[in-house]
Amino acid sequence: ATFINVALSVIEDKYFGETPKILRALFHVARERAPSILFFDEIDGCMRHRSNDDSSSTYGVKTELLLHMDALARDHTAVYVLACTNHVQLIDRAMARRFERRHTFDLPDAQGRASILHTLLREEGGSQTATTALVQRLACATRGRSGSDLADMHRVACSRRRDRCLRRIALEQVSS
């Protein structure tokens, strides 16, 4: 199948009337390339609950997307729409109804976090015993965190460690 990754920044255009055209083009390409998958990452960015506060362009985007999804269901085209969100409660109910299946994924438990942390720390060096002990402590201390959260924390920790090392090197050079 052809996989089409749809970024909201691509479909939301600053010029009035362009977004529906972009959506029509996306669905047209998906039909032409069928079987295909349209993947909307963070769908809640454009498909939040409709309200009276929506601008006409925002309302139009939502309506256009719903119409295309209805057409796919009606035509039985081999185009599949996948979407993900971290905020399922924000999704417009009309959009949620158009997805045949919904899957939720829980945050990792302590064992899952330990596995993620072990993978992140694998290349850090140190003894296996020290790494295992550190991973277990971190897994317990990071309850309620996602794999993405853990990767971000690792990245920040590495950046801070690098900055400390660079400061130490700079101080040593000044002292010499």
Side-chain angles (χ1 to χ4, degrees), residues 66-157:
L66 292 171
L67 289 171
H68 285 294
M69 299 237 349
D70 286 343
L72 290 178
R74 201 175 42 250
D75 300 342
H76 302 290
T77 309
V79 175
Y80 303 94
V81 178
L82 295 177
C84 72
T85 181
N86 290 324
H87 307 284
V88 72
Q89 72 280 3
L90 299 178
I91 301 296
D92 185 82
R93 287 194 173 152
M95 175 56 82
R97 282 192 306 268
R98 282 162 173 82
F99 288 100
E100 290 179 21
R101 295 187 181 110
R102 292 174 205 97
H103 300 280
T104 57
F105 300 93
D106 293 329
L107 292 171
D109 60 7
Q111 183 180 354
R113 290 189 309 278
S115 176
I116 293 166
L117 289 164
H118 189 61
T119 300
L120 291 169
L121 297 172
R122 184 179 312 156
E123 297 179 15
E124 298 299 316
S127 73
Q128 184 63 32
T129 306
T131 301
T132 301
L134 173 64
V135 163
Q136 293 307 317
R137 282 199 328 264
L138 288 172
C140 291
T142 55
R143 184 170 187 255
R145 302 293 182 139
S146 68
S148 179
D149 293 335
L150 297 174
D152 286 343
M153 291 165 61
H154 178 257
R155 183 186 44 76
V156 168

